[in-house]
Amino acid sequence: WEMMDRSHEAIAAARRIGSPDKVPGAYDAQAMAYHDRGHHRKVIEFASKYMEHVGGGPNILELKCDALVSLGRNDETTADLWRWLRFEPDNVQPLQQLAGALDDDNRQKLVEHLSKLDAPVATAVSLAEWLLYSEPDSLDWLVDFVKSRAADSPTLDYLRGLAAQAIDDNAAAAKHFKRAMTREADEDKRNQYIDSFLDVLAGQER
């Protein structure tokens, strides 16, 4: 029923299972169905029951974290986001959620996690692009991370531009973006840097 987007029937079918503890997929099915219906507390309830019996996985952890965020309970997601990353270390979504709400201890833990990825610099840039709008004061640690990995690179110039743009220093951002685009050999990246340069120029004129 869930695969046919009939969440009401999926919930009813799962409830008819006499011993759901012996068939924990019933909890998973209900978590998905309630997610589709926007019943966030029910998602958390059934996702938690499923995880008690099976131990979780990326899909059920995503459902639970999304529900917690929707209820404004972001501080309760941290442990589950780290569990999610054990399954999918390169997944940007849990990384973004963690990066947006870090204390110093968890920030260091995230730096250590990024260092172990196959593409740590590219992942750091993706995080910075997301934080630019959601947590504009949180880019400095990513600049430091990329500096330790790719010093004097166009990528570092671009990231410094994002950090300047985040605090509305468009003049400094334009300087960094211009330096990045003139030094970058990759055409796609260069075009991205040009777009960022033009955006901040337009911001200066407003």
Side-chain angles (χ1 to χ4, degrees):
W1 292 118
E2 182 62 25
M3 293 180 68
M4 293 188 290
D5 293 326
R6 296 174 66 175
S7 57
H8 180 76
E9 287 87 346
I11 293 169
R15 285 175 173 171
R16 286 195 293 270
I17 296 174
S19 302
D21 288 355
K22 296 180 180 178
V23 189
Y27 295 135
D28 183 38
Q30 289 182 83
M32 287 190 290
Y34 280 120
H35 180 268
D36 291 344
R37 297 170 70 86
H39 295 175
H40 306 304
R41 289 182 175 80
K42 287 290 188 181
V43 173
I44 296 166
E45 174 188 346
F46 287 103
S48 298
K49 288 181 178 179
Y50 178 79
M51 291 165 62
E52 286 174 13
H53 291 84
V54 179
N59 293 334
I60 198 71
L61 286 164
E62 180 178 3
L63 290 178
K64 184 182 177 186
C65 289
D66 283 351
L68 287 167
V69 170
S70 296
L71 292 173
R73 293 162 58 182
N74 301 52
D75 57 332
E76 297 178 44
T77 65
T78 302
D80 287 325
L81 290 169
W82 284 118
R83 292 188 190 102
W84 186 356
L85 285 172
R86 286 204 293 270
F87 290 99
E88 298 177 332
D90 297 304
N91 191 319
V92 175
Q93 185 175 343
L95 286 171
Q96 287 174 341
Q97 292 185 44
L98 280 169
L102 287 180
D103 55 28
D104 290 340
D105 289 341
N106 275 311
R107 182 170 296 162
Q108 181 57 38
K109 188 177 177 181
L110 188 54
V111 167
E112 293 169 2
H113 179 86
L114 289 174
S115 299
K116 298 174 184 177
L117 300 182
D118 292 335
V121 171
T123 303
V125 170
S126 295
L127 288 177
E129 290 170 338
W130 183 79
L131 289 170
L132 175 64
Y133 300 104
S134 62
E135 298 287 339
D137 296 327
S138 301
L139 271 69
D140 288 345
W141 70 275
L142 285 168
V143 172
D144 291 340
F145 176 79
V146 171
K147 184 178 179 180
S148 72
R149 292 273 172 165
D152 195 32
S153 66
T155 302
L156 180 58
D157 292 327
Y158 172 63
L159 202 55
R160 283 173 167 159
L162 291 178
Q165 185 180 5
I167 59 173
D168 295 323
D169 188 349
N170 287 333
K175 176 184 174 182
H176 291 304
F177 290 146
K178 184 176 182 179
R179 178 175 164 83
M181 72 189 194
T182 56
R183 300 173 67 209
E184 180 58 65
D186 182 274
E187 183 178 359
D188 289 338
K189 289 183 179 179
R190 186 168 61 250
N191 287 336
Q192 180 184 5
Y193 302 162
I194 291 171
D195 287 342
S196 296
F197 175 69
L198 295 175
D199 283 346
V200 295
L201 285 185
Q204 286 180 288
E205 294 174 357
R206 287 197 291 268

